[in-house]
Amino acid sequence: MAFPKNSFILVFLLVCSLRWNAWAKVDMTMEESVEVYLGDIADIPCLYVFSEQARAVMIQWFVRNPGSSSRERIYYGDNTQQIVDDGTEFTGRITVSDIGDQEGVLLTIQDVQLTDEREFFCQVNGMAAGNGEGKTHLRVFDPPEASVIEGVHAGISVTNELPSRIASCEARNSFPKPNITWYRDSSPLTPTHGQINVVTLVTRESSGFYTVQSELQYKVAKEDKDALFSCEVSYYVPEGVRTAKSKVINITVHFPTTIIELWKESPQGLVKEGDTVELRCQGDGNPPPPFTFNREQEQETALEASDDTLVLREVIRGDSGVYQCRSLDLDTYEQVTGDMQLTIHYLDPAVVVPKDSEILLKGESLTATCNALSSLETATVWFKNRQQVGKGHMLFLQDATYDTAGEYVCEVTVSSLPGLHTSGSVHIIVQGAPQMKDADREVEMDEGTGKWVNLSCEAHAHPLPTISWTVTGSQSWREVLTRATEHSTISVVSVKVTSDITAFCNATNDIGTETKSFSIRAIPMVTSTAPYLPAEGNGVIIVVIILCILLLAILGSVLYFLHKKGKIPCGRSGKQEITKENPNKDDIVVEMKTNTKTEDAGLLKGVNGDKNGPSDQYMDLRK
Ligand SMILES: *[C@@H]1O[C@H](CO)[C@@H](O)[C@H](O)[C@H]1NC(C)=O
Ligand SMILES: *[C@@H]1O[C@H](CO)[C@@H](O)[C@H](O)[C@H]1NC(C)=O
Ligand SMILES: *[C@@H]1O[C@H](CO)[C@@H](O)[C@H](O)[C@H]1NC(C)=O
Ligand SMILES: *[C@@H]1O[C@H](CO)[C@@H](O)[C@H](O)[C@H]1NC(C)=O
């Protein structure tokens, strides 16, 4: 529209330029391209230098119409007027101003649109001074919206023949067209035949923006189960290229089971009868295939199990054997089996020989055995009265005494499996003739006439002895106590001393008799008053004589006592003399000593018998 108006000037300029062309010219300087973001302000400078001073300069701006070679003027200016052409896309959006210190103008475009991406021509005409034209390509940019990645949620099988869809990525509304690159972990994926396909769909919106959708098709392998996939959008900006990464996604890889492992989850360690056993099965496939359990010898019978766990309650030794876990892969229909040996240990009740109880005669010997059948090595210990009396499954009872009698308990344990233990017992009865306490010592005593004396007898035996008494010399005697314990009988008789008494107590059972004797010498009582009173004189003499005798006796005993204690210094010879002169006395002393010795020995024996009996026994048993 503006063109015809100025056609005269143009023709004139053309004529002039042709005429002056030979020696006058103008140098144009314009940028090849100017890059701006959508909506921003674009400044396109147009610089020119005349080789000769120009009297008047005309400036015109044109744009190339999209998709054709035709141009459209958008601006005209000379010394007198500046006109933005009406009715163009740029009307109202452009201004042209002088560039301060150089010869040139600056085209400023407000609110740059996508459609502004065109070539802008700056035409300068200095009449006789020459004319020129330059161009700048305006480039417009708009980054895409944040990219969106969408993964495939379903599991992807490694057995798929072709690459499977893994994820898709979208970059919306960008200008110019962005690119999408795929990454597995941090490595970019490049399309590879049969392995990786990238399907890209580019849409040009009516608004001029590009939307790019990219789909990654990938042949998964088992190793990809932990891989992270992401996409990256790269797009142009005025300064160059920028990239934006999407978030990462993982995929579910399905792969067949190739190995199955079956193991005992509980209990820890060895298994014994009565335990509850848990066997667990695990395969290397994903998703885990359904498992079935069975025993090796019963392939057809599936054991009832929940998922991957087989629970065997209160197992018995018969449950020992090889257990199998099988899976059928639903993709490949391949069956995989895992197996394990389960051993159930046991310990049978202890069998003790002799059974229950056994009667031994005194002096006899016996070997008792205690056996408990077990799948593991056992240890046997014997106890009597909670004290250990033997080790090993045999117990030797040698030379039985009454102390040998009693209950023997054998305890069988399995050191490798403490939960296994059993015990048995045998009651040993020792039979023999009665054994009277202190039978070898005859009891002798002196007692005042008319007194009551207690005589006691205690006899040890099995079967229990009965005690009977024979008392001669007294008409008044009675049994005041009789008591029987497990192995002994005690009897006490009370005897009135009227004259010298001989008494026997006999302890008797089926096997024999033992007797203990007592002899009591009766001492007449002096307390009774004389039947008649003698003459006073006689009485006095008698009293004096008695007193003298008493005094002498006291003196003698004091002297003797002092001499014994060594208070009276008398020579060694004196003592020797006495010793020599009284060999009988020495004899008596010796005798007494031996007596006490035997007594001591007897006592010691008793103590040993009571206290250390079992350990003696134990020593014997170990032989
Ligand atoms: C997009 O890819 C093409 C082809 O590889 C390349 O020429 C172009 O520069 C890329 N664009 C961006 C923004 O990276
Ligand atoms: C994928 O990632 C999510 C969240 O990070 C996680 O819960 C899931 O287990 C992962 N799946 C696989 C198959 O790795
Ligand atoms: C004799 O034994 C009986 C019964 O144990 C008792 O009551 C009595 O006091 C005893 N007599 C003597 C003199 O020890
Ligand atoms: C007790 O034993 C003695 C000697 O063995 C015998 O003489 C006496 O008769 C026996 N007495 C009784 C009551 O058995």
Side-chain angles (χ1 to χ4, degrees):
M1 264 198 261
F3 195 70
K5 200 162 114 189
N6 296 306
S7 54
F8 167 74
I9 300 163
L10 275 174
V11 170
F12 174 76
L13 280 173
L14 189 64
V15 170
C16 292
S17 63
L18 283 172
R19 194 166 159 202
W20 297 103
N21 203 18
W23 45 274
K25 66 178 176 79
V26 55
D27 283 334
M28 300 291 298
T29 310
M30 281 187 83
E31 285 170 37
E32 161 131 17
S33 69
V34 164
E35 306 188 327
V36 288
Y37 281 113
L38 180 73
D40 275 2
I41 294 164
D43 286 324
I44 305 173
C46 173
L47 303 179
Y48 49 87
V49 178
F50 285 98
S51 58
E52 271 179 32
Q53 181 71 34
R55 252 171 278 151
V57 178
M58 260 189 318
I59 307 281
Q60 290 183 101
W61 285 92
F62 297 88
V63 293
R64 193 194 292 283
N65 285 325
S68 77
S69 56
S70 67
R71 313 199 310 188
E72 181 180 17
R73 198 184 76 179
I74 55 170
Y75 172 87
Y76 171 87
D78 58 24
N79 293 355
T80 56
Q81 56 184 342
Q82 280 146 26
I83 302 159
V84 173
D85 286 286
D86 278 335
T88 75
E89 284 173 63
F90 298 92
T91 312
R93 283 204 291 135
I94 54 167
T95 49
V96 175
S97 50
D98 285 332
I99 292 175
D101 48 355
Q102 294 176 62
E103 266 199 295
V105 289
L106 185 69
L107 171 67
T108 301
I109 309 164
Q110 304 285 334
D111 187 19
V112 170
Q113 302 296 304
L114 281 191
T115 48
D116 296 350
E117 170 142 329
R118 304 191 198 182
E119 283 175 327
F120 286 77
F121 299 89
C122 174
Q123 208 175 71
V124 177
N125 196 326
M127 309 296 174
N131 57 52
E133 187 182 85
K135 70 171 177 181
T136 292
H137 199 136
L138 178 65
R139 295 190 184 276
V140 184
F141 298 89
D142 190 36
E145 293 162 15
S147 59
V148 178
I149 187 166
E150 184 79 38
V152 170
H153 297 295
I156 303 154
S157 176
V158 298
T159 55
N160 290 358
E161 299 275 329
L162 295 170
S164 320
R165 206 167 77 87
I166 292 258
S168 61
C169 224
E170 188 182 54
R172 290 185 66 82
N173 295 333
S174 170
F175 193 89
K177 181 179 82 70
N179 285 349
I180 290 178
T181 317
W182 286 95
Y183 284 83
R184 177 192 185 275
D185 294 331
S186 52
S187 324
L189 295 172
T190 39
T192 318
H193 180 71
Q195 291 292 320
I196 303 168
N197 292 341
V198 175
V199 179
T200 307
L201 177 68
V202 180
T203 316
R204 183 85 198 253
E205 311 282 343
S206 54
S207 53
F209 291 116
Y210 289 97
T211 288
V212 177
Q213 285 161 308
S214 177
E215 182 180 287
L216 174 65
Q217 295 172 353
Y218 185 85
K219 194 162 171 5
V220 294
K222 195 173 163 183
E223 298 73 54
D224 295 314
K225 67 186 165 68
D226 300 317
L228 295 173
F229 291 88
S230 62
C231 68
E232 186 186 70
V233 179
S234 57
Y235 53 93
Y236 291 109
V237 291
E239 306 83 41
V241 175
R242 253 188 230 166
T243 58
K245 276 226 161 181
S246 73
K247 59 186 178 61
V248 296
I249 57 151
N250 55 16
I251 56 171
T252 306
V253 180
H254 285 179
F255 41 90
T257 304
T258 55
I259 296 168
I260 283 188
E261 239 183 294
L262 178 63
W263 72 92
K264 173 164 64 70
E265 183 87 350
S266 73
Q268 301 274 305
L270 299 173
V271 182
K272 61 179 189 300
E273 286 191 329
D275 283 349
T276 292
V277 179
E278 253 186 64
L279 303 184
R280 265 194 69 197
C281 185
Q282 197 172 58
D284 61 347
N286 186 45
F291 297 116
T292 54
F293 292 87
N294 63 274
R295 298 185 62 173
E296 195 182 41
Q297 66 266 41
E298 294 160 22
Q299 302 263 351
E300 269 65 59
T301 318
L303 298 166
E304 201 180 307
S306 62
D307 299 335
D308 60 349
T309 308
L310 174 68
V311 179
L312 303 167
R313 287 180 208 287
E314 300 202 354
V315 289
I316 54 169
R317 64 196 75 177
D319 292 330
S320 296
V322 175
Y323 284 77
Q324 291 184 325
C325 167
R326 301 149 172 279
S327 85
L328 185 67
D329 194 277
L330 299 177
D331 273 340
T332 59
Y333 291 100
E334 260 175 48
Q335 180 167 281
V336 187
T337 307
D339 56 23
M340 69 161 289
Q341 165 76 41
L342 179 66
T343 306
I344 316 259
H345 294 287
Y346 56 90
L347 176 64
D348 280 346
V351 175
V352 181
V353 177
K355 212 177 151 225
D356 302 333
S357 66
E358 180 75 7
I359 295 168
L360 275 188
L361 291 181
K362 262 176 77 183
E364 277 188 336
S365 297
L366 172 85
T367 300
T369 60
C370 174
N371 287 301
L373 193 65
S374 177
S375 52
L376 292 165
E377 199 178 316
T378 58
T380 308
V381 178
W382 292 86
F383 292 95
K384 187 187 177 205
N385 298 329
R386 286 193 209 89
Q387 276 186 306
Q388 188 178 324
V389 295
K391 231 176 173 178
H393 76 285
M394 292 212 274
L395 177 75
F396 304 107
L397 298 175
Q398 281 183 327
D399 191 11
T401 66
Y402 287 127
D403 287 328
T404 311
E407 171 116 6
Y408 289 82
V409 177
C410 71
E411 282 191 10
V412 183
T413 54
V414 177
S415 61
S416 50
L417 191 44
L420 280 183
H421 55 82
T422 182
S423 65
S425 68
V426 59
H427 197 95
I428 300 292
I429 298 160
V430 178
Q431 273 193 354
Q435 211 171 30
M436 188 75 78
K437 205 173 159 191
D438 300 329
D440 48 348
R441 275 197 301 150
E442 187 180 323
V443 182
E444 290 177 30
M445 52 184 144
D446 299 339
E447 248 346 302
T449 316
K451 285 206 166 168
W452 286 90
V453 179
N454 277 358
L455 306 177
S456 94
C457 273
E458 180 177 354
H460 206 99
H462 190 95
L464 260 189
T466 52
I467 295 178
S468 58
W469 291 87
T470 314
V471 181
T472 52
S474 174
Q475 267 68 53
S476 284
W477 67 275
R478 63 177 186 273
E479 193 167 36
V480 291
L481 174 80
T482 172
R483 196 176 59 203
T485 64
E486 203 182 343
H487 301 296
S488 64
T489 308
I490 298 173
S491 171
V492 179
V493 291
S494 211
V495 180
K496 188 172 186 182
V497 182
T498 48
S499 59
D500 288 356
I501 292 170
T502 311
F504 300 99
C505 73
N506 289 5
T508 314
N509 69 2
D510 297 348
I511 296 154
T513 300
E514 194 168 44
T515 305
K516 181 177 174 181
S517 62
F518 302 83
S519 76
I520 304 165
R521 202 164 50 234
I523 304 168
M525 300 298 276
V526 256
T527 49
S528 61
T529 48
Y532 61 94
L533 274 172
E536 226 180 14
N538 282 354
V540 170
I541 290 162
I542 292 165
V543 166
V544 169
I545 289 167
I546 290 171
L547 279 175
C548 286
I549 293 167
L550 273 174
L551 276 172
L552 278 171
I554 288 165
L555 189 68
S557 51
V558 163
L559 280 172
Y560 177 73
F561 178 75
L562 288 175
H563 164 70
K564 267 276 177 185
K565 283 269 176 178
K567 287 277 159 93
I568 290 180
C570 55
R572 252 170 205 218
S573 55
K575 200 183 177 185
Q576 277 169 346
E577 265 170 38
I578 290 170
T579 326
K580 268 182 189 166
E581 275 170 20
N582 296 321
N584 286 346
K585 222 176 188 180
D586 270 338
D587 282 349
I588 289 160
V589 171
V590 169
E591 228 173 73
M592 283 172 76
K593 269 183 187 164
T594 40
N595 271 347
T596 35
K597 249 189 190 164
T598 45
E599 248 182 60
D600 282 350
L603 281 172
L604 277 171
K605 233 185 214 166
V607 168
N608 279 345
D610 283 347
K611 260 195 158 174
N612 302 334
S615 52
D616 280 347
Q617 194 67 57
Y618 170 50
M619 297 285 281
D620 275 348
L621 303 172
R622 295 216 312 192
K623 275 180 221 164

